[in-house]
Amino acid sequence: SRSVIAVSRQAAVSAQQFYGLAADSIRVIANPVDITQVREASSGPRPPRDDRPTFACVGRMTEEKGHRDLLTALTHLPKDFPPATFWLIGDGPLRAELEESWKSIRCRHRVEFLGSVPNAAAAIAAADALVLPSHFEGMPNVVLESMALGTPVIATRAGGTVELERDEPTIVWAEPSDAGSLAAAIAEFATDRPAAERRVEAARRLIATHHDVAATTRVIEDLLEHSCK
């Protein structure tokens, strides 16, 4: 290929190492988010919820998405953490195993396996926070969408996710493959809501500045025009 596009610096490094590419052949163009479209989608039907704190985890149920870590983390939450609901949105080869595993875990928190939903944006908007327990990510669209919607994000420092924080705190961080760290991050979010609101505002600024869909489209158009000459 004349050039290779990577969605994050972390993805570019992985591509360079895995495929043996020259560093100067890779162009990083981060995933954009159509803020207007996502916000319009968020007004659709939402999963029913009550007054319990509610968290959404959106992703295909495969090993690298870290769902097992999240289920284990729920057993590590502090005793004074209020009973909460966790929506697991998505499907995949591990779903049956994860559901069976949860049945054997004695925990006062509730996990709802919602499967694939036609409009995840509405569920994200209805949740108190998004949880991303991944072991690796290129540039997670679900975090971009959450930031565009003003939903706080709790995420692991996995792959390109770390690039969604620049000059200001935008995410409550946990370490990948560490259920204890993830539990601590969830508890931190719940106990410091003013800080969560500050991160939400910083995330909105980050999205508008660095992930605008119109600006990204212009970059891709320019790349294609030069490649065709």
Side-chain angles (χ1 to χ4, degrees):
S1 299
R2 185 175 299 177
S3 61
V4 175
I5 296 176
V7 296
S8 66
R9 293 189 298 275
Q10 294 291 322
V13 170
S14 295
Q16 182 183 350
Q17 295 173 344
F18 186 81
Y19 295 109
L21 302 175
D24 59 4
S25 72
I26 305 175
R27 175 80 175 272
V28 176
I29 303 178
N31 285 350
V33 59
D34 189 329
I35 298 173
T36 300
Q37 185 181 61
V38 170
R39 289 178 179 170
E40 288 176 353
S42 71
S43 63
R46 302 180 174 190
R49 60 162 294 179
D50 52 23
D51 293 334
R52 294 161 63 108
T54 300
F55 300 81
C57 176
V58 182
R60 182 165 166 76
M61 294 187 180
T62 54
E63 198 65 45
E64 71 273 11
K65 292 298 184 179
H67 292 90
R68 285 196 189 94
D69 299 332
L70 176 57
L71 297 183
T72 303
L74 303 191
T75 68
H76 293 323
L77 287 171
K79 292 182 179 179
D80 60 352
F81 194 93
T85 298
F86 289 79
W87 291 334
L88 269 58
I89 300 170
D91 212 334
L94 292 183
R95 180 177 174 180
E97 179 184 331
L98 291 168
E99 290 197 63
E100 194 62 31
S101 172
W102 180 249
K103 290 177 184 177
S104 66
I105 296 176
R106 299 186 64 182
C107 184
R108 57 197 177 88
H109 304 294
R110 184 165 63 215
V111 173
E112 298 179 6
F113 290 83
L114 302 185
S116 297
V117 299
N119 184 11
I124 293 170
D128 295 301
L130 175 88
V131 183
L132 188 80
S134 299
H135 300 166
F136 179 80
E137 289 283 348
M139 175 60 66
N141 286 320
V142 67
V143 172
L144 294 170
E145 292 172 3
S146 296
M147 289 179 165
L149 291 170
T151 299
V153 177
I154 303 161
T156 53
R157 298 180 184 275
T161 310
V162 298
E163 296 170 33
L164 293 175
E165 182 170 280
R166 299 197 179 202
D167 301 325
E168 305 174 273
T170 54
I171 294 173
V172 182
W173 293 109
E175 297 307 315
S177 305
D178 188 333
S181 175
L182 185 58
I186 294 171
E188 178 187 344
F189 159 77
T191 55
D192 194 349
R193 297 306 290 268
E197 290 302 316
R198 291 193 295 271
R199 285 189 291 268
V200 163
E201 291 304 316
R204 285 196 177 105
R205 290 190 287 271
L206 177 82
I207 292 297
T209 303
H210 299 289
H211 297 273
D212 176 71
V213 67
T216 302
T217 300
R218 288 193 294 271
V219 172
I220 295 172
E221 288 173 344
D222 182 67
L223 177 65
L224 292 174
E225 287 174 358
H226 283 82
S227 297
C228 293
K229 290 179 180 179

